Amino acid sequence: GPQDSVTEMVEEFKVRRDILVDGLNELPGFRCRKPAGAFYAFPNVEGTGVDCKVLANRLLEEGGVACLAGTCFGKYGDGFMRFSYANSVETIRQALESARRVLETN
């Protein structure tokens, strides 16, 4: 059958991905490559000087930003965090702004 809706969804997720990855790369201490698939970004956060588990908890508790420490995916995830972009552009932008405020209070 027609695949128009799939094409539209893929394009929308590319927009969301680009907004999230560009925004993460603007956060102090974050470095993120653009993922080629799925709907997650996995930035390196070692430049923040904060343990990824501690940072994930702070983002949630102080900023309302849900993410996972990279260590949830094994020892090689240490220093990384996982963010989903399966949300609206508006919510992604709000999460990035909240994360910025949390990072600036450190």
Side-chain angles (χ1 to χ4, degrees):
Q3 296 296 303
D4 298 346
S5 61
V6 174
T7 301
E8 288 175 25
M9 185 172 41
V10 168
E11 290 306 312
E12 177 61 26
F13 273 91
K14 285 181 183 177
V15 168
R16 294 173 188 186
R17 177 201 63 198
D18 291 349
I19 290 168
L20 178 62
V21 170
D22 291 347
L24 290 172
N25 281 321
E26 292 177 6
L27 295 176
F30 278 62
R31 292 185 333 237
C32 189
R33 294 181 179 179
K34 282 189 181 169
F39 45 85
Y40 300 102
F42 205 64
N44 181 301
V45 297
E46 291 174 321
T48 65
V50 181
D51 177 81
C52 64
K53 290 179 195 176
V54 172
L55 185 55
N57 286 333
R58 283 194 58 216
L59 288 174
L60 180 60
E61 293 170 6
E62 298 173 28
V65 178
C67 57
L68 291 172
T71 51
C72 291
F73 305 96
K75 67 180 179 181
Y76 297 110
D78 193 23
F80 292 83
M81 295 177 70
R82 186 181 189 196
F83 292 83
S84 172
Y85 49 90
N87 215 313
S88 70
V89 168
E90 179 183 342
T91 300
I92 292 168
R93 289 186 197 279
Q94 289 173 350
L96 288 165
E97 183 55 37
S98 292
R100 177 175 303 287
R101 283 194 301 273
V102 169
L103 290 166
E104 289 174 350
T105 62
N106 212 8

